[in-house]
């Protein structure tokens, strides 16, 4: 359904923006990773931006949940914007994520200046964008033009010249950033040699596009980066495709010279100690970015002596969540996380499941599961932990939900940096995951196993029967709260009043195209008779079609249906 636009910048607008920005970065993540050539061509800028935005969005959601739990209404603009900034700060990843965290912190400092204010207007948004760009530039030890800093400054400049409401200001900022992004190859030689625009700047354009959608309800066209002869250009692309050449395949890609390690940590320290830390780290390496304030900082630097960078943090205060990445072998070490002594398995399957019943089924089949409770989708960090818990050299990841595709992709990318070979099969429902798991054979070659599992999932149509929570427009017409909806392959196909009758109609439509096996997964709230009725329907009307029934437990949907 279309996004309802926000007239003012209030707490709800912060929440909406974070969600839309996360979605936009998810769509663009692979494209941004592919054009990442500066400051290090390590292909992770899109992933780092996504993980940073994910942490910001989760922090805002937590604030709304806390206010709801105490019946205190929605949070103030100051509450939401501070949560956004804090979440980004503690979850910032890489050079690009650290700068994005400071941009959000700069905005929050303006938006939260008045604790009692419920909202701000176009003037407030202009000030917030200006302060964001300025504070981000100040956080970088040696600012370079042609990077995300340039794009942020152009966005603030364009917003400053726009008169009107938040939507007008946001659109001006987006267009200014988009124009500046197209010019980055002419400002940074490494971008021009590779024929791409700045990856961090591309990510910021996606975030600002989400800001436009928040206030106007309209999504700007996707920005695509097309490689040209010695230059790059930014074009409108409604399909969202991007014919870019990954940096490792560019003939003129930069060499890999430079510091060997990326060091990131959170630091509890006072301002004077951080000032000394900046000077110390600046002498040790490059790409130094220190963001934060009020006693909590996020430190990012590229160095040859990782130990010295950590020691500098110890001298300044209390560093924690220390992450050291070796650029050469992509080996990641985290303090306090020693390698388990047991031998790794060759292959494992990690699956997201919507209920306890299916979790048991998947576990019996040998999968490591992540439980997705209704309304509580897992974050990428939970999926990465599940991949680690599987303790295998090769992992097949089954998200079992179309909305989790970007989250799962980011988790897979993170796991790969730890030396784990991960294949993501884009399953959209738990019944597709069951089909994939049924043909899984660990003894096969990894690629062959992934192909067979993907084929089985793709050959399985999926449906679900749910109860509408509110009135809305659907592909099948207008539904009212309390109506029973039958969704086939993600789209509402049937609107009814009776669960069993709606389920029968859905099943008939699915089997009209043929099928050999029907899988039914019953939720806790499904009528007891629905499974018997559907099994009888299959026996009486569809010869040579088998039926299998599972209990899913508390899974959100009343019924999941799969047809292979």
């Amino acid at each position: 359904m279309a996004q309802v636009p926000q007239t003012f910048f209030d707490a709800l607008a912060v929440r909406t923006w974070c969600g839309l920005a996360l979605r936009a970065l998810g769509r663009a993540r692979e494209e941004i990773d592919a054009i990442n050539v500066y400051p290090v061509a390590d292909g992770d800028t899109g992933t780092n931006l996504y993980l940073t935005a994910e942490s910001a969005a989760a922090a805002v959601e937590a604030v709304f949940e806390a206010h709801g739990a105490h019946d205190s209404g929605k949070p103030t603009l100051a509450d939401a914007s501070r949560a956004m900034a804090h979440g980004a700060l503690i979850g910032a990843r890489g050079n690009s994520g650290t700068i994005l965290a400071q941009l959000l912190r700069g905005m929050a400092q303006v938006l939260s200046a008045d604790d009692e204010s419920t909202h701000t207007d176009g003037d407030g948004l202009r000030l917030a964008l200006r302060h964001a760009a300025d504070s981000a530039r100040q956080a970088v030890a040696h600012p370079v033009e042609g990077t995300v800093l340039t794009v942020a400054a152009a966005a603030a400049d364009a917003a400053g010249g726009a008169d009107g409401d938040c939507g007008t200001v946001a659109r001006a900022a987006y267009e200014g950033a988009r124009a500046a992004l197209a010019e980055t190859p002419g400002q940074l030689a490494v971008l021009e040699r590779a024929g791409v625009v700045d990856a961090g700047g591309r990510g910021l354009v996606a975030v600002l596009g989400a800001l436009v959608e928040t206030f106007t309800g309209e999504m700007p066209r996707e920005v695509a980066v097309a490689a040209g002869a010695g230059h790059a250009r930014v074009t409108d692309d409604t399909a969202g495709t991007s014919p870019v050449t990954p940096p490792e395949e560019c003939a003129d890609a930069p060499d890999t010279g430079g510091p060997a390690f990326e060091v990131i940590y959170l630091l509890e320290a006072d301002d004077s100690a951080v000032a000394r830390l900046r000077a110390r780290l600046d002498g040790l390496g490059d790409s130094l970015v220190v963001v934060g304030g009020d006693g909590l900082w996020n430190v990012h630097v590229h160095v040859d002596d990782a130990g010295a960078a950590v020691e500098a943090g110890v001298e300044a205060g209390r560093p924690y969540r220390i992450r050291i990445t070796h650029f050469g072998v992509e080996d990641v070490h985290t303090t306090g996380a020693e390698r388990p002594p047991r031998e790794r398995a060759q292959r494992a399957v990690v699956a997201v499941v919507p209920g306890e019943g299916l979790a048991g089924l998947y576990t019996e089949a040998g999968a490591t599961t992540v439980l997705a409770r209704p309304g509580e989708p897992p974050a990428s960090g939970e999926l990465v932990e599940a991949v680690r818990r599987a303790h295998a050299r090769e992992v097949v990841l089954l998200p079992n939900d179309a909305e989790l595709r970007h989250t799962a992709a980011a988790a897979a990318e993170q796991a790969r940096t730890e030396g784990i070979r991960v294949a993501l099969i884009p399953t959209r429902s738990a019944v597709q995951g069951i089909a994939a798991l049924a043909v899984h054979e660990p003894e096969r070659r990894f690629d062959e196993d992934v192909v067979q599992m993907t084929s089985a999932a793709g050959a399985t149509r999926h449906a679900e029967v749910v109860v509408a929570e509110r009135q809305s427009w659907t592909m099948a017409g207008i539904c009212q709260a309390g109506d029973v909806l039958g969704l086939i392959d993600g789209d509402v196909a049937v609107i009814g009043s009776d669960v069993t009758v709606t389920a029968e109609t859905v099943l008939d439509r699915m089997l009209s195209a043929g099928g050999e096996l029907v899988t039914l997964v019953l939720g806790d709230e499904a009528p007891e008779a629905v499974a018997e009725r559907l099994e009888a329907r299959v026996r009486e009307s569809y010869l040579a079609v088998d039926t299998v029934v599972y209990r899913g437990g508390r899974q959100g949907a009343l019924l999941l249906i799969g047809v292979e």
Side-chain angles (χ1 to χ4, degrees), residues 99-115:
I99 293 175
L100 175 61
Q102 186 64 14
L103 287 166
L104 296 180
R105 177 178 171 79
M107 291 190 70
Q109 287 175 325
V110 173
L111 299 175
S112 63
D114 182 354
D115 281 330

Side-chain angles (χ1 to χ4, degrees), residues 123-484:
D123 289 338
L125 179 56
R126 277 194 294 272
L127 290 173
L129 290 168
R130 178 78 271 162
H131 188 62
D134 292 345
S135 61
R137 184 171 290 267
Q138 292 166 6
V140 177
H142 301 284
V144 175
E145 296 306 326
T147 65
V148 63
L149 298 176
T150 305
V151 176
D157 290 344
D163 291 322
D165 59 13
C166 288
T168 301
V169 173
R171 191 176 294 279
Y174 172 80
E175 293 299 338
R178 189 173 171 278
L181 179 65
E183 298 299 320
T184 55
Q187 298 170 301
L188 202 53
V190 65
L191 301 179
E192 187 171 25
R193 287 198 301 269
V196 296
V197 297
D198 178 65
R202 169 65 182 91
L204 180 58
V205 169
V207 171
L208 291 173
L211 189 64
V212 174
E213 187 177 358
T214 298
F215 293 118
T216 68
E218 300 175 1
M219 182 190 306
R221 292 201 218 178
E222 294 283 349
V223 173
V225 185
H231 68 285
R233 61 186 184 277
V234 179
T235 60
D236 285 332
D237 177 31
T238 55
T241 57
S242 175
V244 300
T245 305
E248 63 270 23
E249 298 177 4
C250 296
D252 295 323
D255 60 43
T256 56
F261 297 96
E262 176 185 59
V263 178
I264 304 173
Y265 50 81
L266 292 177
L267 177 70
E268 293 178 354
D270 59 36
D271 290 3
S272 60
V274 169
R276 294 191 297 272
L277 175 66
R278 287 179 192 270
R280 173 82 181 276
L281 293 179
D282 194 25
L284 289 175
D286 58 29
S287 298
L288 173 60
V289 185
V290 180
V291 304
D294 301 320
L296 181 62
W297 308 82
N298 191 304
V299 179
H300 170 280
V301 67
H302 294 173
V303 293
D304 281 321
D305 189 344
V310 175
E311 287 173 8
V314 173
E315 292 176 4
R318 187 179 78 87
Y320 60 103
R321 291 194 189 179
I322 301 168
R323 182 180 175 87
I324 301 171
T325 304
H326 192 299
F327 290 124
V329 298
E330 297 185 327
D331 183 25
V332 177
H333 309 279
T334 306
T335 58
E338 297 181 358
R339 297 285 183 184
R342 63 188 176 92
E343 182 69 19
R344 282 186 179 273
Q346 182 58 35
R347 189 173 310 158
V349 176
V350 173
V352 180
V353 290
E356 292 85 351
L358 280 180
L361 174 67
Y362 272 77
T363 301
E364 288 176 10
T368 298
T369 60
V370 178
L371 188 62
R373 296 177 177 82
E376 299 179 22
S380 60
E382 292 178 70
L383 300 187
V384 173
E385 286 301 319
V387 170
R388 292 176 183 143
R389 195 167 70 246
H391 202 60
R393 298 181 182 88
E394 301 166 340
V395 172
V396 180
L397 183 56
L398 306 175
N400 291 340
D401 186 337
E403 294 296 320
L404 286 177
R405 181 167 60 93
H406 298 314
T407 300
E413 194 67 32
Q414 282 299 110
R416 290 182 190 118
T417 68
E418 300 182 20
I420 304 171
R421 189 179 184 189
V422 182
L424 171 62
I425 298 179
T427 48
R428 303 176 67 190
S429 169
V431 292
Q432 288 188 321
I434 291 172
L437 198 55
V439 301
H440 168 55
E441 291 186 13
E443 294 77 19
R444 271 195 300 235
R445 288 179 55 248
F446 185 63
D447 292 339
E448 291 178 1
D449 197 29
V450 171
V451 168
Q452 291 300 318
M453 294 177 72
T454 302
S455 178
T460 303
R461 297 192 69 194
H462 62 94
E464 58 182 310
V465 178
V466 301
V467 176
E469 295 181 355
R470 57 185 177 275
Q471 182 188 61
S472 22
W473 291 87
T474 76
M475 299 270 299
I478 301 176
C479 73
Q480 305 296 328
D483 282 348
V484 180

Side-chain angles (χ1 to χ4, degrees), residues 35-81:
I35 62 173
N36 173 201
V37 298
Y38 182 85
V40 177
D42 49 355
D44 64 357
T45 290
T47 299
N48 288 337
L49 287 170
Y50 180 89
L51 294 172
T52 304
E54 182 182 53
S55 183
V60 174
E61 286 299 320
V63 166
F64 271 83
E65 290 173 6
H67 278 258
H70 294 93
D71 296 321
S72 56
K74 71 178 183 180
T76 65
L77 174 60
D79 293 332
S81 59

